[in-house]
């Protein structure tokens, strides 16, 4: 999470949407930087609004506009699948090393989800509290130019991103039946992505 007080902007970090690269490029410029623990670094809109936004409301009588990045849902799960197949995850309950992507997506659709597939939900990340305002600026991960243009204009600076947190290359093959079931069961994830810029 990055907060730019003068610009009234809070950049919330949806997991697996390139947030580490933005943190590296912008943390020196931000007024407020949260890099851990993960529950705070990746605080969803509801948690941000309840704790952080409340500080700005009560102490400064102002609010930060929230921005975030959302990834195409199958691509987002693919990123989690690859990330959790890293060598340092071998033998860990989160490891996806010895399974196919199709198996991972099937596990994600279970209730409850097995630990290795319990990676949350992008649409749930954007849920607001009853009195919350939600994210005003939501960008599609694949539209990096839109994200950079917005941030460069808002922060009045040039931004150079480096690739970070790169996951192993893995095949992301899905059976048509699995994909159809996922799209039907998690339509809210696709609607969230479709609504982004």
């Amino acid at each position: 999470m990055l907060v730019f007080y003068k610009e009234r902007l809070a950049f919330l970090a949806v997991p697996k949407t390139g947030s580490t690269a933005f943190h590296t490029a912008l943390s020196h410029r931000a007024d407020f930087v949260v890099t851990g623990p993960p529950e705070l670094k990746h605080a969803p809109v509801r948690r941000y609004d309840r704790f952080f936004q409340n500080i700005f409301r009560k102490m400064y009588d102002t609010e930060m506009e929230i921005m975030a990045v959302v990834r195409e849902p199958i691509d987002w799960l693919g990123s989690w699948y690859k990330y959790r197949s890293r060598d340092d995850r071998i033998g860990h309950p989160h490891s996806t090393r010895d399974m196919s992507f199709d198996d991972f997506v099937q596990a994600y659709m279970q209730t409850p989800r097995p630990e290795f597939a319990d990676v949350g939900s992008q649409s749930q990340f954007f849920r607001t509290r009853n009195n919350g305002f939600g994210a005003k600026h939501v960008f599609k991960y694949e539209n990096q130019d839109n994200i950079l243009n917005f941030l460069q204009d808002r922060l009045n600076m040039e931004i150079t991103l480096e690739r970070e947190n790169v996951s192993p290359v893995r095949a992301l093959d899905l059976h048509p039946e699995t994909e159809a079931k996922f799209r039907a069961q998690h339509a809210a994830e696709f609607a969230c992505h479709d609504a982004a810029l």
Side-chain angles (χ1 to χ4, degrees), residues 108-179:
Y108 182 83
M109 292 188 285
Q110 293 176 16
T111 304
R113 293 178 183 133
E115 190 173 344
F116 65 84
D118 194 10
V119 296
S121 155
Q122 292 184 104
S123 66
Q124 290 297 308
F125 184 97
F126 290 99
R127 280 188 58 219
T128 61
R129 297 190 315 140
N130 290 341
N131 63 345
F133 291 100
K136 182 170 184 176
H137 310 282
V138 182
F139 296 91
K140 290 182 170 124
Y141 171 83
E142 59 270 26
N143 292 343
Q144 291 293 313
D145 287 347
N146 286 357
I147 303 166
L148 281 172
N149 289 339
F150 172 80
L151 285 168
Q152 289 176 150
D153 288 346
R154 187 74 175 249
L155 303 177
N156 193 26
M157 66 179 287
E158 189 171 320
I159 301 169
T160 303
L161 294 177
E162 303 292 333
R163 286 196 68 192
E164 295 197 36
N165 219 4
V166 179
S167 297
V169 175
R170 303 270 322 257
L172 298 179
D173 301 322
L174 266 188
H175 295 297
E177 298 83 8
T178 302
E179 181 174 345

Side-chain angles (χ1 to χ4, degrees), residues 24-179:
T24 299
L26 298 173
S27 59
H28 72 284
R29 174 67 170 70
D31 298 296
F32 190 70
V33 179
V34 180
T35 57
E39 295 80 14
L40 293 181
K41 176 186 177 182
H42 297 292
V45 169
R46 288 171 67 90
R47 189 174 303 139
Y48 170 82
D49 190 56
R50 181 173 178 198
F51 297 105
F52 299 99
Q53 191 79 287
N54 249 349
I55 293 170
F56 296 115
R57 285 187 195 117
K58 290 181 179 179
M59 292 183 68
Y60 304 107
D61 193 29
T62 191
E63 294 195 2
M64 303 298 112
E65 291 180 1
I66 297 172
M67 78 158 286
V69 177
V70 65
R71 198 164 179 163
E72 192 282 329
I74 294 172
D75 186 46
W76 184 72
L77 284 182
S79 184
W80 272 113
Y81 167 72
K82 292 188 288 186
Y83 179 74
R84 289 190 163 184
S85 72
R86 298 180 335 264
D87 288 344
D88 67 343
R89 297 282 87 188
I90 294 174
H92 190 280
H94 288 169
S95 179
T96 58
R97 174 64 66 94
D98 297 324
M99 70 182 64
S100 69
F101 181 53
D102 195 87
D103 290 339
F104 179 75
V105 174
Q106 290 279 0
Y108 182 83
M109 292 188 285
Q110 293 176 16
T111 304
R113 293 178 183 133
E115 190 173 344
F116 65 84
D118 194 10
V119 296
S121 155
Q122 292 184 104
S123 66
Q124 290 297 308
F125 184 97
F126 290 99
R127 280 188 58 219
T128 61
R129 297 190 315 140
N130 290 341
N131 63 345
F133 291 100
K136 182 170 184 176
H137 310 282
V138 182
F139 296 91
K140 290 182 170 124
Y141 171 83
E142 59 270 26
N143 292 343
Q144 291 293 313
D145 287 347
N146 286 357
I147 303 166
L148 281 172
N149 289 339
F150 172 80
L151 285 168
Q152 289 176 150
D153 288 346
R154 187 74 175 249
L155 303 177
N156 193 26
M157 66 179 287
E158 189 171 320
I159 301 169
T160 303
L161 294 177
E162 303 292 333
R163 286 196 68 192
E164 295 197 36
N165 219 4
V166 179
S167 297
V169 175
R170 303 270 322 257
L172 298 179
D173 301 322
L174 266 188
H175 295 297
E177 298 83 8
T178 302
E179 181 174 345

